[in-house]
């Protein structure tokens, strides 16, 4: 088993090291929400600090009830007993893969941890590209073909994953694609795992964001958390909505959780229960965050477009996935990303970290670390009518312009390298597409 440090965490640590050493590095490799904790959540956490008992494995009853209410307000009623809480959505996804067993269909590209977690439990992901111009969902027609082929080879395929909206592309699948995937899941008897941790950060609230659970509630698991919408990544809290009647799956997940994390941190659960009731001040904070994320990611995307990259305008979150296939002189996306960091001081992640073909010159760009270095700067960005005019954000955009002009101009006269680049913190185990 080839186990390596997560590419996103490794990049964050490497860029921190370079900054500490005095290097000027534009940090666009890490998917942290980049905003301060809302004061009402800090107050709730402080008031709950005396709670030091383990509590139920499934999570505190008030948190499970609050999460059930969150989904009910989105048209997805659920029994609170079918809500499972964990220390972040990532451990919940891992427990879910263990509980389900079998191989899984993933979109290509997709978040670095999906394929890595499958590898850890000894199953093989089937990577399927999304329909053109979409992200986060495998092409339904290809799913049928790939799953039937895998099963004909004796493989057990039990699940399929979608991300709404997507990391790394920032795109959404169309409602029609989600409908077809629900039909395919029924036809092939697949469980759908819908990672909706960015759902509340769709930039335009009028944009259609259809969950598979709207169409196939009997076979869809939803995972989410507060790390993106409320910038609570370090608090480590996530929730999962299990399919209607899935009490056997619940029992398996709780058995796994009981041996791995026992229960989420009690004080954090109390603060999260308040957050999932969606009080007015937190609804307003998420709306402000959504506006900021959208403004900055659009500005960054426009700069990549001007540099000649092919990239779709993101619809949610704070990521984009530009393609530099027009450039000669780079053998892999890893080499391209390493050059962008070493020569031009811009940290991004190569597409191969997300399961993409290494030779495709695509990179994942995160924009949420541009909001400022201090709480004061980040709050100013959050409250600014036009955050792009703030000096530190404008300076970062200028740095990016210079870097893109430099690497595209240099590539025009740079000979292709025959040797493979040395492995670095960008490196990720290669996973062959289906």
């Amino acid at each position: 088993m080839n186990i390596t440090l997560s590419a996103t965490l490794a990049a964050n640590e490497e860029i921190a090291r370079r900054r500490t050493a005095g290097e000027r590095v534009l940090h666009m490799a890490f998917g942290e929400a980049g905003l301060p904790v809302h004061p009402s959540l800090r107050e709730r956490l402080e008031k709950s600090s005396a709670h030091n008992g383990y509590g139920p494995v499934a999570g505190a009853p008030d948190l499970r009830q609050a999460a059930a209410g969150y989904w009910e307000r989105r048209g997805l009623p659920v029994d609170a007993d079918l809500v499972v809480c964990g220390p972040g959505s990532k451990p919940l996804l891992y427990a879910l893969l263990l509980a389900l067993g079998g191989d899984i269909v993933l979109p290509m590209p997709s978040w670095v941890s999906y394929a890595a977690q499958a590898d850890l439990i000894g199953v093989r992901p089937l990577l399927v590209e999304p329909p053109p111009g979409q992200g986060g969902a495998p092409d339904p027609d290809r799913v049928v073909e790939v799953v039937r082929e895998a099963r004909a080879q004796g493989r057990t395929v039990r699940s399929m994953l979608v991300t709404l909206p997507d990391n790394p592309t920032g795109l959404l699948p169309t409602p029609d694609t989600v409908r077809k995937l629900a039909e395919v899941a029924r036809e092939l008897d697949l469980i759908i795992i819908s990672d909706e941790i960015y759902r509340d950060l769709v930039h335009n609230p009028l944009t259609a964001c259809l969950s598979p659970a709207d169409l196939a509630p009997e076979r869809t698991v939803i995972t989410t958390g507060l790390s993106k919408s409320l910038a609570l990544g370090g608090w480590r809290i996530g929730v999962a909505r299990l399919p209607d009647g899935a009490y056997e799956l619940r029992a398996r997940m709780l058995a796994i959780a009981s041996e791995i994390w026992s229960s989420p941190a009690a004080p954090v659960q109390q603060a999260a229960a308040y957050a999932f009731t969606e009080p007015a001040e937190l609804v307003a904070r998420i709306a402000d965050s959504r506006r900021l994320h959208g403004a900055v990611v659009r500005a960054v995307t426009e700069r990549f477009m001007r540099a000649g990259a092919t990239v779709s305008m993101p619809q949610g979150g704070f990521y984009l996935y530009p393609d530099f296939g027009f450039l000669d002189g780079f053998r892999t996306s890893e080499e391209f990303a390493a050059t962008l960091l070493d020569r031009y001081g811009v940290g991004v992640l190569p597409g191969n970290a997300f399961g993409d073909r290494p030779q495709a010159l695509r990179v994942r760009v995160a924009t949420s670390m541009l909001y400022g270095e201090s709480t004061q700067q980040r709050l100013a960005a959050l409250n600014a009518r036009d955050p792009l005019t703030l000096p530190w954000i404008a300076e970062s955009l200028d740095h990016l312009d210079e870097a893109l002009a430099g690497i595209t101009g240099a590539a025009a006269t740079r000979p292709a390298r025959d040797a493979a680049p040395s492995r670095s913190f960008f490196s990720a185990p290669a996973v062959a597409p289906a």
Side-chain angles (χ1 to χ4, degrees), residues 10 28 73 91 115 121-122 162 178 182 191 201 206 253 329 336 339 380 407 428:
M28 306 185 81
R73 288 187 293 276
I121 66 173
V162 300
V178 176
I191 293 292
L201 295 181
L206 300 179
M253 285 190 68
F336 177 81
T339 301
I407 198 167

Side-chain angles (χ1 to χ4, degrees), residues 30-106:
F30 194 49
E32 193 161 59
L35 293 168
V37 178
H38 193 281
S40 68
L41 289 174
R42 294 204 308 270
E43 292 169 7
R44 292 277 168 167
L45 186 65
E46 183 178 358
K47 289 178 181 178
S48 303
S49 60
H51 291 257
N52 63 345
Y54 282 105
V57 177
D62 53 349
L63 173 54
R64 289 187 284 110
Q65 193 63 54
Y70 166 89
W71 278 304
E72 185 169 3
R73 288 187 293 276
R74 285 152 181 79
L76 296 168
V78 62
D79 183 342
D81 285 341
L82 288 172
V83 175
V84 176
C85 310
S89 62
K90 183 186 285 190
L92 286 170
L93 284 163
Y94 185 65
L96 183 59
L97 290 179
L98 277 171
L100 291 173
D103 292 343
I104 182 171
V105 179
L106 298 177

Side-chain angles (χ1 to χ4, degrees), residues 14 18 29 43 72 80 101 123 133 141 146 168 171 196 213 244 257 268 272 311 318 405 418 420 426:
E14 171 65 12
R18 290 180 181 236
E43 292 169 7
E72 185 169 3
V123 304
D141 293 332
V146 165
L171 302 177
E196 301 184 9
D244 297 346
V268 175
V311 56
F318 33 80
D418 295 326
F426 290 121

Side-chain angles (χ1 to χ4, degrees), residues 15 38 44 75 91 98 149 204 209 218-219 227 237 277 307 384 391 418 428:
I15 290 171
H38 193 281
R44 292 277 168 167
L98 277 171
E149 181 180 345
N204 183 349
C209 183
E218 80 287 356
R219 62 179 60 251
S227 62
I237 192 72
T277 64
D418 295 326

Side-chain angles (χ1 to χ4, degrees), residues 5 8 16 68 75 80 111 123 136 157 189 192 197 209 216 218 265 271 275 305 312 326 329 357 359 386:
L5 188 64
T8 53
W111 181 45
V123 304
V157 186
D189 192 23
I192 303 173
I197 200 161
C209 183
E218 80 287 356
M305 288 177 174
S312 296
F326 69 97
R357 290 178 289 275
Q359 295 76 21
D386 183 1

Side-chain angles (χ1 to χ4, degrees), residues 66-78 196 198-201 209-211 213-215 222 224-226 229-230 241 275-279 282-283 286 290:
Y70 166 89
W71 278 304
E72 185 169 3
R73 288 187 293 276
R74 285 152 181 79
L76 296 168
V78 62
E196 301 184 9
Y198 295 95
R199 178 170 179 165
D200 292 335
L201 295 181
C209 183
L210 185 66
S211 171
D214 291 312
L215 306 167
I222 301 176
T224 192
L226 303 175
S229 61
L230 286 168
R241 177 193 185 277
F276 276 115
T277 64
E278 299 184 285
L282 297 186
V283 171
I286 292 172
R290 185 189 304 124

Side-chain angles (χ1 to χ4, degrees), residues 21 80 129 139 178 215 231 393 412-413:
E129 292 183 348
D139 185 296
V178 176
L215 306 167
I393 295 180
T413 57

